[in-house]
Amino acid sequence: MTSRYDVLFQPIKIGPVTAPNRFYQVPHCNGFGYRMPQGMAAMRGMKAEGGWGVVCTEETEIHHTTDLSPFFEGRIWGDEDISTWQLMTEAVHKHGALAGIELTYNGHDALNLYSRAAPFDLRSRGLIGGNGYEPGQSRAASKEDLKQIRKWHRNAAIRAKRAGFDIVYCYAAHNMTLAFHLMSKENDRADEYGGSLENRVRFFRELIEDTKDAVGDTCGVAVRFAVDQLLGAHGMQHDGEGREIVSMLAELPDLWDVNVSGWPNDSITSRFGKEGHQEKYISFVKGLTTKPVVGVGRYTSPDSMASAIERGIMDMIGAARPSIADPFLPNKIKENRQEDIRECIGCNICVTGDTRFVPIRCTQNPTMGEEWRRDWHPEMIASKKKEEEIMIVGAGPAGLEAARALGQRGYRVILTDSRREAGGRVILESALPNLTEWRRVVDWRLTQIQKMENIFFYPSSTMTAGDILESGEPNVIIATGSTWRRDGVGRNRSHPVPGTTNIFTPDDLMAGKLPAGKVLLYDDDHFYMGGVLAELLAANGCEVTLVTPAPMISYWTQFTLEQERVMKRLMDLNVTLLTHHVLASHTPKAATVTNTITSAESTLACDAVVMVTDRIPNDGLYHELQPALAAGTLKSLRLIGDAEAPNLIAQAVFAGHLAAREFDEVIDPDGTPFKVEQIKL
């Protein structure tokens, strides 16, 4: 039987190798890097098992002079690194997919904190890797230095071939690599590697030619190139030099992997960019080359994927985040199970694995990053050991995931919630400005739950401890969420803020209770909530001042690559922004704030204060039921999600999944519940 999606499963030739289909997991960071090779390999192997035809590494350092610490990326400095990468290529090849490696030399974006070497760059200039404001400068690469870098790149390509890779990258994207900076308008060198565009492209052309010569007999040679920096005339543009560069090199590589720079533009969150947002920049490439073209755009819809190919935008669907949210996305399309696709919500929690130096995680997919250390599979879970029934109180992200996973195991599950609609905080937050796609966290779980006859959902059912005990359910999981504090207690205040003004919390605003007039929003939460609520208030006619003790607005959003966009949106809405200040007190018409550095006090006129500080876990039921557990009336009792410890939605989903996996298992409280990668001496 033919299907609209058959085009997605056609083999594609990439030089001397052939991809089994058009699903291409582009290189993406993951927080494992060289220090956790088994976790990295298992994660990549899972993508191949799920049907991705090509599975690539993260950026992989070719030499110690491009040491990307403090970030944990890949390394292929020497022959001793080959065995690490063989773990990945074997895991990928096991399922019939091709393995690709992204080789990188990053110039002034490589701090070399570990190697302590001077990084080579187009000229001596300030280092920007890490936080963007690092002390020290790069060393201007001479022509001999560039020859040496070409040699290192060639050697790394040969090692990659020995490690079993099928595709080897030449990388010039994301405003990071030396090759990209040499091509850019900032290159003011006076030798044959600067000046004219032909000269600026010379080094990248040489890298491609060297790589083709070294491994092109058995490996496809791919180019990753950012066609637009989104800087207008100040940077590379897709209808200017970006197009010219593609035209100059059109037939040289075996594959073009094209995107926009930098990383915050390429991996824009759903709050600021939608599916297919890069098409207008990359659509010209196919018209200039006969080689296959890979593009990205956080495609989650099979129809959008097929359309992108049919419209001639690209030959292969590139993905990082959609492959993280659902490693089995290709197989589900092939099996006509589109409703089972766990769609990416574009929150960029996956990115924080890299930016916070920890293994990758995902809001939608709680098994991401846990494939090796917990032996978790995104589609399979151990069946129940015996007949048991579990009551889950609370149908927010933690409760829904616990119910879904326990139902998948085969247990009988009673799920209750006091609200008419399931979803808890996710339903409320997804109604805030530009967070619509976050609702997918609820929608996917409800779709799965509705398929299971052993899960029974009772909305509009407020449960007391007496109700639970009267039901006779022997196993209880409490997932009742949390409540935003009204008193201002948070990271920077351990005591309530004194005052008499009208106080609102995020819970109030999400329930439709909005203040009017001049509003001071005090953000001691530092992620998305403060900025989103300031946007909501401004859009509803309030005169908003956002005050935060942090050194920047929505501080933690820098790790999800959206802090500058948050700032711009608030500035466009005329929100007054005040950093380094703590709310000290308030009256009906004013608030006093204190500078965290100078201790100087200021008075700000306001008619209301919105407190975005800590949350209080709704754990009362859990404590009320403790005596019943001690008496044996209950067989088990567990507290999960925000009711245990308020955190990210991703952590709530993880907590629900963990509870389902651990139910009826013997857990050693003194042991580490996952494998830890060790260095054998």
Side-chain angles (χ1 to χ4, degrees), residues 322-365:
S323 76
I324 294 164
D326 199 334
F328 278 69
L329 182 152
N331 284 356
K332 290 176 181 177
I333 297 175
K334 189 174 186 178
E335 296 163 6
N336 198 30
R337 295 194 294 123
Q338 288 81 6
E339 77 281 0
D340 292 334
I341 294 173
R342 196 184 293 107
E343 290 185 281
C344 172
I345 69 170
C347 65
N348 277 6
I349 289 301
C350 55
V351 170
T352 67
D354 182 63
T355 56
R356 304 308 293 141
F357 325 120
V358 294
I360 191 169
R361 59 203 59 202
C362 176
T363 300
Q364 275 283 56
N365 176 12

mmCIF file of all heavy atoms in Angstrom, residues 322-365:
data_model
loop_
_atom_site.group_PDB
_atom_site.id
_atom_site.type_symbol
_atom_site.label_atom_id
_atom_site.label_comp_id
_atom_site.label_asym_id
_atom_site.label_seq_id
_atom_site.Cartn_x
_atom_site.Cartn_y
_atom_site.Cartn_z
ATOM 1 N N PRO A 322 13.799 16.956 17.540
ATOM 2 C CA PRO A 322 12.753 15.942 17.348
ATOM 3 C C PRO A 322 13.255 14.512 17.538
ATOM 4 O O PRO A 322 12.489 13.638 17.955
ATOM 5 C CB PRO A 322 12.302 16.189 15.903
ATOM 6 C CG PRO A 322 12.565 17.643 15.679
ATOM 7 C CD PRO A 322 13.861 17.892 16.388
ATOM 8 N N SER A 323 14.542 14.269 17.251
ATOM 9 C CA SER A 323 15.094 12.920 17.453
ATOM 10 C C SER A 323 15.367 12.644 18.916
ATOM 11 O O SER A 323 15.514 11.482 19.320
ATOM 12 C CB SER A 323 16.389 12.759 16.644
ATOM 13 O OG SER A 323 17.482 13.433 17.249
ATOM 14 N N ILE A 324 15.458 13.693 19.713
ATOM 15 C CA ILE A 324 15.644 13.556 21.159
ATOM 16 C C ILE A 324 14.297 13.290 21.821
ATOM 17 O O ILE A 324 14.166 12.393 22.657
ATOM 18 C CB ILE A 324 16.298 14.839 21.719
ATOM 19 C CG1 ILE A 324 17.721 14.990 21.180
ATOM 20 C CG2 ILE A 324 16.293 14.841 23.245
ATOM 21 C CD1 ILE A 324 18.305 16.382 21.359
ATOM 22 N N ALA A 325 13.294 14.073 21.433
ATOM 23 C CA ALA A 325 11.949 13.889 21.990
ATOM 24 C C ALA A 325 11.388 12.523 21.636
ATOM 25 O O ALA A 325 10.695 11.898 22.438
ATOM 26 C CB ALA A 325 11.015 14.987 21.501
ATOM 27 N N ASP A 326 11.671 12.052 20.421
ATOM 28 C CA ASP A 326 11.201 10.724 20.023
ATOM 29 C C ASP A 326 12.216 10.041 19.112
ATOM 30 O O ASP A 326 12.202 10.231 17.892
ATOM 31 C CB ASP A 326 9.851 10.790 19.314
ATOM 32 C CG ASP A 326 9.155 9.430 19.318
ATOM 33 O OD1 ASP A 326 9.865 8.405 19.393
ATOM 34 O OD2 ASP A 326 7.929 9.391 19.271
ATOM 35 N N PRO A 327 13.117 9.244 19.688
ATOM 36 C CA PRO A 327 14.077 8.499 18.871
ATOM 37 C C PRO A 327 13.405 7.557 17.881
ATOM 38 O O PRO A 327 14.028 7.154 16.896
ATOM 39 C CB PRO A 327 14.893 7.720 19.917
ATOM 40 C CG PRO A 327 14.738 8.500 21.180
ATOM 41 C CD PRO A 327 13.339 9.055 21.127
ATOM 42 N N PHE A 328 12.156 7.193 18.121
ATOM 43 C CA PHE A 328 11.448 6.250 17.257
ATOM 44 C C PHE A 328 10.482 6.945 16.299
ATOM 45 O O PHE A 328 9.608 6.292 15.727
ATOM 46 C CB PHE A 328 10.720 5.207 18.106
ATOM 47 C CG PHE A 328 11.631 4.097 18.563
ATOM 48 C CD1 PHE A 328 12.630 4.341 19.487
ATOM 49 C CD2 PHE A 328 11.516 2.820 18.035
ATOM 50 C CE1 PHE A 328 13.497 3.340 19.892
ATOM 51 C CE2 PHE A 328 12.379 1.803 18.426
ATOM 52 C CZ PHE A 328 13.378 2.058 19.358
ATOM 53 N N LEU A 329 10.646 8.233 16.098
ATOM 54 C CA LEU A 329 9.790 8.979 15.186
ATOM 55 C C LEU A 329 9.739 8.361 13.788
ATOM 56 O O LEU A 329 8.648 8.161 13.242
ATOM 57 C CB LEU A 329 10.243 10.438 15.146
ATOM 58 C CG LEU A 329 9.477 11.440 14.295
ATOM 59 C CD1 LEU A 329 9.613 12.835 14.887
ATOM 60 C CD2 LEU A 329 9.969 11.463 12.857
ATOM 61 N N PRO A 330 10.877 8.008 13.161
ATOM 62 C CA PRO A 330 10.791 7.422 11.814
ATOM 63 C C PRO A 330 9.994 6.123 11.776
ATOM 64 O O PRO A 330 9.164 5.913 10.876
ATOM 65 C CB PRO A 330 12.258 7.196 11.434
ATOM 66 C CG PRO A 330 13.014 8.186 12.258
ATOM 67 C CD PRO A 330 12.284 8.232 13.559
ATOM 68 N N ASN A 331 10.243 5.241 12.744
ATOM 69 C CA ASN A 331 9.532 3.960 12.751
ATOM 70 C C ASN A 331 8.035 4.143 12.946
ATOM 71 O O ASN A 331 7.222 3.404 12.375
ATOM 72 C CB ASN A 331 10.090 3.049 13.843
ATOM 73 C CG ASN A 331 11.422 2.432 13.457
ATOM 74 O OD1 ASN A 331 11.905 2.619 12.342
ATOM 75 N ND2 ASN A 331 12.024 1.703 14.377
ATOM 76 N N LYS A 332 7.660 5.129 13.737
ATOM 77 C CA LYS A 332 6.235 5.367 13.979
ATOM 78 C C LYS A 332 5.544 5.877 12.719
ATOM 79 O O LYS A 332 4.389 5.530 12.456
ATOM 80 C CB LYS A 332 6.059 6.342 15.143
ATOM 81 C CG LYS A 332 6.440 5.724 16.490
ATOM 82 C CD LYS A 332 6.373 6.713 17.632
ATOM 83 C CE LYS A 332 6.791 6.043 18.942
ATOM 84 N NZ LYS A 332 6.811 6.993 20.078
ATOM 85 N N ILE A 333 6.251 6.689 11.945
ATOM 86 C CA ILE A 333 5.683 7.134 10.668
ATOM 87 C C ILE A 333 5.555 5.940 9.726
ATOM 88 O O ILE A 333 4.520 5.765 9.057
ATOM 89 C CB ILE A 333 6.560 8.231 10.049
ATOM 90 C CG1 ILE A 333 6.594 9.463 10.952
ATOM 91 C CG2 ILE A 333 6.043 8.593 8.650
ATOM 92 C CD1 ILE A 333 7.539 10.553 10.479
ATOM 93 N N LYS A 334 6.584 5.119 9.676
ATOM 94 C CA LYS A 334 6.578 3.955 8.786
ATOM 95 C C LYS A 334 5.453 2.994 9.133
ATOM 96 O O LYS A 334 4.836 2.378 8.254
ATOM 97 C CB LYS A 334 7.926 3.242 8.873
ATOM 98 C CG LYS A 334 8.130 2.152 7.838
ATOM 99 C CD LYS A 334 9.555 1.614 7.907
ATOM 100 C CE LYS A 334 9.822 0.625 6.777
ATOM 101 N NZ LYS A 334 11.223 0.129 6.808
ATOM 102 N N GLU A 335 5.163 2.869 10.426
ATOM 103 C CA GLU A 335 4.128 1.948 10.903
ATOM 104 C C GLU A 335 2.757 2.616 10.968
ATOM 105 O O GLU A 335 1.820 2.040 11.534
ATOM 106 C CB GLU A 335 4.531 1.411 12.273
ATOM 107 C CG GLU A 335 5.805 0.566 12.239
ATOM 108 C CD GLU A 335 6.425 0.389 13.621
ATOM 109 O OE1 GLU A 335 5.801 0.833 14.612
ATOM 110 O OE2 GLU A 335 7.537 -0.173 13.700
ATOM 111 N N ASN A 336 2.653 3.834 10.422
ATOM 112 C CA ASN A 336 1.386 4.570 10.409
ATOM 113 C C ASN A 336 0.852 4.803 11.816
ATOM 114 O O ASN A 336 -0.345 4.694 12.074
ATOM 115 C CB ASN A 336 0.344 3.844 9.546
ATOM 116 C CG ASN A 336 -0.806 4.754 9.149
ATOM 117 O OD1 ASN A 336 -0.617 5.965 9.002
ATOM 118 N ND2 ASN A 336 -1.983 4.183 8.994
ATOM 119 N N ARG A 337 1.770 5.152 12.729
ATOM 120 C CA ARG A 337 1.397 5.430 14.122
ATOM 121 C C ARG A 337 1.710 6.893 14.456
ATOM 122 O O ARG A 337 2.338 7.203 15.457
ATOM 123 C CB ARG A 337 2.143 4.488 15.067
ATOM 124 C CG ARG A 337 1.777 3.013 14.909
ATOM 125 C CD ARG A 337 2.290 2.195 16.082
ATOM 126 N NE ARG A 337 3.740 2.136 16.153
ATOM 127 C CZ ARG A 337 4.458 2.511 17.205
ATOM 128 N NH1 ARG A 337 3.863 3.021 18.273
ATOM 129 N NH2 ARG A 337 5.775 2.405 17.186
ATOM 130 N N GLN A 338 1.243 7.777 13.602
ATOM 131 C CA GLN A 338 1.570 9.183 13.787
ATOM 132 C C GLN A 338 1.105 9.724 15.140
ATOM 133 O O GLN A 338 1.753 10.598 15.722
ATOM 134 C CB GLN A 338 0.949 10.024 12.655
ATOM 135 C CG GLN A 338 1.608 9.852 11.303
ATOM 136 C CD GLN A 338 1.139 8.603 10.572
ATOM 137 O OE1 GLN A 338 0.231 7.913 11.030
ATOM 138 N NE2 GLN A 338 1.749 8.316 9.442
ATOM 139 N N GLU A 339 -0.011 9.212 15.640
ATOM 140 C CA GLU A 339 -0.533 9.719 16.913
ATOM 141 C C GLU A 339 0.353 9.335 18.089
ATOM 142 O O GLU A 339 0.226 9.885 19.192
ATOM 143 C CB GLU A 339 -1.964 9.207 17.150
ATOM 144 C CG GLU A 339 -2.077 7.753 17.603
ATOM 145 C CD GLU A 339 -1.936 6.745 16.465
ATOM 146 O OE1 GLU A 339 -1.748 7.176 15.307
ATOM 147 O OE2 GLU A 339 -2.025 5.536 16.738
ATOM 148 N N ASP A 340 1.267 8.392 17.854
ATOM 149 C CA ASP A 340 2.167 7.957 18.926
ATOM 150 C C ASP A 340 3.475 8.744 18.952
ATOM 151 O O ASP A 340 4.314 8.519 19.834
ATOM 152 C CB ASP A 340 2.484 6.465 18.775
ATOM 153 C CG ASP A 340 1.275 5.583 19.036
ATOM 154 O OD1 ASP A 340 0.383 6.026 19.787
ATOM 155 O OD2 ASP A 340 1.214 4.466 18.489
ATOM 156 N N ILE A 341 3.669 9.645 18.001
ATOM 157 C CA ILE A 341 4.904 10.427 17.976
ATOM 158 C C ILE A 341 4.935 11.372 19.171
ATOM 159 O O ILE A 341 3.998 12.121 19.430
ATOM 160 C CB ILE A 341 5.021 11.230 16.669
ATOM 161 C CG1 ILE A 341 5.171 10.288 15.476
ATOM 162 C CG2 ILE A 341 6.217 12.191 16.733
ATOM 163 C CD1 ILE A 341 5.122 10.992 14.132
ATOM 164 N N ARG A 342 6.026 11.310 19.885
ATOM 165 C CA ARG A 342 6.233 12.171 21.048
ATOM 166 C C ARG A 342 6.869 13.465 20.535
ATOM 167 O O ARG A 342 8.088 13.582 20.409
ATOM 168 C CB ARG A 342 7.154 11.459 22.044
ATOM 169 C CG ARG A 342 7.175 12.008 23.445
ATOM 170 C CD ARG A 342 8.197 11.296 24.314
ATOM 171 N NE ARG A 342 7.880 9.917 24.582
ATOM 172 C CZ ARG A 342 8.507 8.870 24.034
ATOM 173 N NH1 ARG A 342 9.470 9.053 23.164
ATOM 174 N NH2 ARG A 342 8.184 7.646 24.360
ATOM 175 N N GLU A 343 6.031 14.441 20.216
ATOM 176 C CA GLU A 343 6.506 15.631 19.521
ATOM 177 C C GLU A 343 7.322 16.558 20.425
ATOM 178 O O GLU A 343 6.955 16.835 21.562
ATOM 179 C CB GLU A 343 5.323 16.414 18.956
ATOM 180 C CG GLU A 343 4.616 15.730 17.800
ATOM 181 C CD GLU A 343 3.547 16.612 17.210
ATOM 182 O OE1 GLU A 343 2.459 16.688 17.804
ATOM 183 O OE2 GLU A 343 3.795 17.243 16.171
ATOM 184 N N CYS A 344 8.417 17.047 19.866
ATOM 185 C CA CYS A 344 9.249 18.041 20.541
ATOM 186 C C CYS A 344 8.418 19.280 20.853
ATOM 187 O O CYS A 344 7.625 19.728 20.026
ATOM 188 C CB CYS A 344 10.431 18.396 19.644
ATOM 189 S SG CYS A 344 11.430 19.780 20.221
ATOM 190 N N ILE A 345 8.618 19.850 22.051
ATOM 191 C CA ILE A 345 7.892 21.066 22.414
ATOM 192 C C ILE A 345 8.757 22.313 22.240
ATOM 193 O O ILE A 345 8.303 23.427 22.493
ATOM 194 C CB ILE A 345 7.340 20.998 23.852
ATOM 195 C CG1 ILE A 345 8.468 21.054 24.892
ATOM 196 C CG2 ILE A 345 6.481 19.752 24.037
ATOM 197 C CD1 ILE A 345 7.972 21.241 26.315
ATOM 198 N N GLY A 346 10.019 22.143 21.836
ATOM 199 C CA GLY A 346 10.880 23.296 21.566
ATOM 200 C C GLY A 346 11.240 24.103 22.792
ATOM 201 O O GLY A 346 11.422 25.319 22.709
ATOM 202 N N CYS A 347 11.394 23.446 23.947
ATOM 203 C CA CYS A 347 11.720 24.166 25.184
ATOM 204 C C CYS A 347 13.222 24.312 25.397
ATOM 205 O O CYS A 347 13.667 25.110 26.223
ATOM 206 C CB CYS A 347 11.095 23.472 26.386
ATOM 207 S SG CYS A 347 11.762 21.812 26.709
ATOM 208 N N ASN A 348 14.020 23.500 24.691
ATOM 209 C CA ASN A 348 15.482 23.517 24.764
ATOM 210 C C ASN A 348 16.053 23.039 26.097
ATOM 211 O O ASN A 348 17.208 23.354 26.429
ATOM 212 C CB ASN A 348 16.054 24.893 24.414
ATOM 213 C CG ASN A 348 16.174 25.095 22.915
ATOM 214 O OD1 ASN A 348 15.726 24.265 22.123
ATOM 215 N ND2 ASN A 348 16.782 26.199 22.507
ATOM 216 N N ILE A 349 15.283 22.263 26.850
ATOM 217 C CA ILE A 349 15.866 21.629 28.036
ATOM 218 C C ILE A 349 16.976 20.672 27.609
ATOM 219 O O ILE A 349 17.959 20.481 28.329
ATOM 220 C CB ILE A 349 14.777 20.900 28.852
ATOM 221 C CG1 ILE A 349 13.857 21.925 29.521
ATOM 222 C CG2 ILE A 349 15.388 19.986 29.907
ATOM 223 C CD1 ILE A 349 14.546 22.897 30.454
ATOM 224 N N CYS A 350 16.860 20.091 26.423
ATOM 225 C CA CYS A 350 17.927 19.228 25.908
ATOM 226 C C CYS A 350 19.234 19.996 25.792
ATOM 227 O O CYS A 350 20.317 19.469 26.100
ATOM 228 C CB CYS A 350 17.540 18.637 24.566
ATOM 229 S SG CYS A 350 17.058 19.863 23.309
ATOM 230 N N VAL A 351 19.161 21.250 25.364
ATOM 231 C CA VAL A 351 20.356 22.082 25.204
ATOM 232 C C VAL A 351 21.067 22.291 26.533
ATOM 233 O O VAL A 351 22.302 22.366 26.593
ATOM 234 C CB VAL A 351 19.964 23.441 24.586
ATOM 235 C CG1 VAL A 351 21.127 24.424 24.620
ATOM 236 C CG2 VAL A 351 19.476 23.249 23.151
ATOM 237 N N THR A 352 20.313 22.346 27.624
ATOM 238 C CA THR A 352 20.928 22.600 28.925
ATOM 239 C C THR A 352 21.820 21.455 29.385
ATOM 240 O O THR A 352 22.645 21.644 30.274
ATOM 241 C CB THR A 352 19.874 22.885 30.013
ATOM 242 O OG1 THR A 352 19.096 21.707 30.274
ATOM 243 C CG2 THR A 352 18.950 24.012 29.594
ATOM 244 N N GLY A 353 21.672 20.275 28.777
ATOM 245 C CA GLY A 353 22.633 19.216 29.088
ATOM 246 C C GLY A 353 24.032 19.653 28.715
ATOM 247 O O GLY A 353 24.995 19.421 29.466
ATOM 248 N N ASP A 354 24.158 20.303 27.559
ATOM 249 C CA ASP A 354 25.461 20.801 27.120
ATOM 250 C C ASP A 354 25.856 22.056 27.882
ATOM 251 O O ASP A 354 26.980 22.148 28.387
ATOM 252 C CB ASP A 354 25.416 21.089 25.622
ATOM 253 C CG ASP A 354 26.752 21.560 25.078
ATOM 254 O OD1 ASP A 354 27.716 20.771 25.134
ATOM 255 O OD2 ASP A 354 26.847 22.696 24.598
ATOM 256 N N THR A 355 24.948 23.014 27.998
ATOM 257 C CA THR A 355 25.305 24.290 28.609
ATOM 258 C C THR A 355 25.491 24.202 30.119
ATOM 259 O O THR A 355 26.093 25.096 30.720
ATOM 260 C CB THR A 355 24.249 25.361 28.286
ATOM 261 O OG1 THR A 355 22.951 24.911 28.695
ATOM 262 C CG2 THR A 355 24.214 25.650 26.788
ATOM 263 N N ARG A 356 24.996 23.122 30.749
ATOM 264 C CA ARG A 356 25.200 22.922 32.194
ATOM 265 C C ARG A 356 26.111 21.724 32.474
ATOM 266 O O ARG A 356 26.254 21.281 33.609
ATOM 267 C CB ARG A 356 23.861 22.733 32.927
ATOM 268 C CG ARG A 356 22.866 23.859 32.738
ATOM 269 C CD ARG A 356 23.449 25.238 33.037
ATOM 270 N NE ARG A 356 23.766 25.411 34.441
ATOM 271 C CZ ARG A 356 24.841 26.051 34.897
ATOM 272 N NH1 ARG A 356 25.727 26.549 34.053
ATOM 273 N NH2 ARG A 356 25.044 26.187 36.196
ATOM 274 N N PHE A 357 26.707 21.146 31.417
ATOM 275 C CA PHE A 357 27.748 20.115 31.539
ATOM 276 C C PHE A 357 27.259 18.815 32.175
ATOM 277 O O PHE A 357 27.982 18.159 32.929
ATOM 278 C CB PHE A 357 28.953 20.652 32.341
ATOM 279 C CG PHE A 357 29.258 22.106 32.117
ATOM 280 C CD1 PHE A 357 29.225 23.021 33.171
ATOM 281 C CD2 PHE A 357 29.562 22.577 30.851
ATOM 282 C CE1 PHE A 357 29.482 24.362 32.964
ATOM 283 C CE2 PHE A 357 29.834 23.922 30.633
ATOM 284 C CZ PHE A 357 29.799 24.821 31.692
ATOM 285 N N VAL A 358 26.024 18.436 31.874
ATOM 286 C CA VAL A 358 25.460 17.193 32.414
ATOM 287 C C VAL A 358 24.850 16.390 31.269
ATOM 288 O O VAL A 358 24.604 16.934 30.191
ATOM 289 C CB VAL A 358 24.376 17.484 33.479
ATOM 290 C CG1 VAL A 358 24.985 18.141 34.699
ATOM 291 C CG2 VAL A 358 23.252 18.347 32.908
ATOM 292 N N PRO A 359 24.586 15.087 31.474
ATOM 293 C CA PRO A 359 23.968 14.295 30.400
ATOM 294 C C PRO A 359 22.645 14.885 29.943
ATOM 295 O O PRO A 359 21.865 15.428 30.729
ATOM 296 C CB PRO A 359 23.767 12.925 31.059
ATOM 297 C CG PRO A 359 24.854 12.841 32.073
ATOM 298 C CD PRO A 359 24.977 14.240 32.621
ATOM 299 N N ILE A 360 22.389 14.771 28.671
ATOM 300 C CA ILE A 360 21.210 15.333 28.025
ATOM 301 C C ILE A 360 19.923 14.828 28.675
ATOM 302 O O ILE A 360 19.853 13.702 29.169
ATOM 303 C CB ILE A 360 21.233 14.981 26.518
ATOM 304 C CG1 ILE A 360 20.188 15.759 25.735
ATOM 305 C CG2 ILE A 360 21.096 13.481 26.303
ATOM 306 C CD1 ILE A 360 20.354 15.628 24.225
ATOM 307 N N ARG A 361 18.905 15.675 28.677
ATOM 308 C CA ARG A 361 17.581 15.314 29.181
ATOM 309 C C ARG A 361 16.530 15.939 28.277
ATOM 310 O O ARG A 361 16.848 16.796 27.444
ATOM 311 C CB ARG A 361 17.404 15.786 30.620
ATOM 312 C CG ARG A 361 17.560 17.283 30.797
ATOM 313 C CD ARG A 361 17.934 17.620 32.232
ATOM 314 N NE ARG A 361 19.181 16.965 32.595
ATOM 315 C CZ ARG A 361 19.555 16.710 33.852
ATOM 316 N NH1 ARG A 361 18.779 17.065 34.845
ATOM 317 N NH2 ARG A 361 20.693 16.123 34.108
ATOM 318 N N CYS A 362 15.282 15.544 28.453
ATOM 319 C CA CYS A 362 14.212 16.012 27.577
ATOM 320 C C CYS A 362 12.919 16.100 28.366
ATOM 321 O O CYS A 362 12.625 15.222 29.188
ATOM 322 C CB CYS A 362 14.060 15.055 26.393
ATOM 323 S SG CYS A 362 12.678 15.438 25.276
ATOM 324 N N THR A 363 12.143 17.154 28.121
ATOM 325 C CA THR A 363 10.854 17.298 28.797
ATOM 326 C C THR A 363 9.880 16.217 28.352
ATOM 327 O O THR A 363 9.175 15.630 29.185
ATOM 328 C CB THR A 363 10.262 18.688 28.511
ATOM 329 O OG1 THR A 363 11.164 19.693 28.996
ATOM 330 C CG2 THR A 363 8.916 18.861 29.200
ATOM 331 N N GLN A 364 9.844 15.932 27.057
ATOM 332 C CA GLN A 364 8.905 14.946 26.529
ATOM 333 C C GLN A 364 9.364 13.508 26.767
ATOM 334 O O GLN A 364 8.548 12.627 27.010
ATOM 335 C CB GLN A 364 8.710 15.164 25.025
ATOM 336 C CG GLN A 364 7.659 16.195 24.662
ATOM 337 C CD GLN A 364 6.248 15.676 24.807
ATOM 338 O OE1 GLN A 364 5.849 15.204 25.876
ATOM 339 N NE2 GLN A 364 5.477 15.760 23.756
ATOM 340 N N ASN A 365 10.646 13.262 26.652
ATOM 341 C CA ASN A 365 11.184 11.904 26.695
ATOM 342 C C ASN A 365 12.038 11.705 27.938
ATOM 343 O O ASN A 365 13.228 12.020 27.946
ATOM 344 C CB ASN A 365 12.012 11.646 25.435
ATOM 345 C CG ASN A 365 12.682 10.283 25.440
ATOM 346 O OD1 ASN A 365 12.382 9.425 26.264
ATOM 347 N ND2 ASN A 365 13.610 10.084 24.522
#
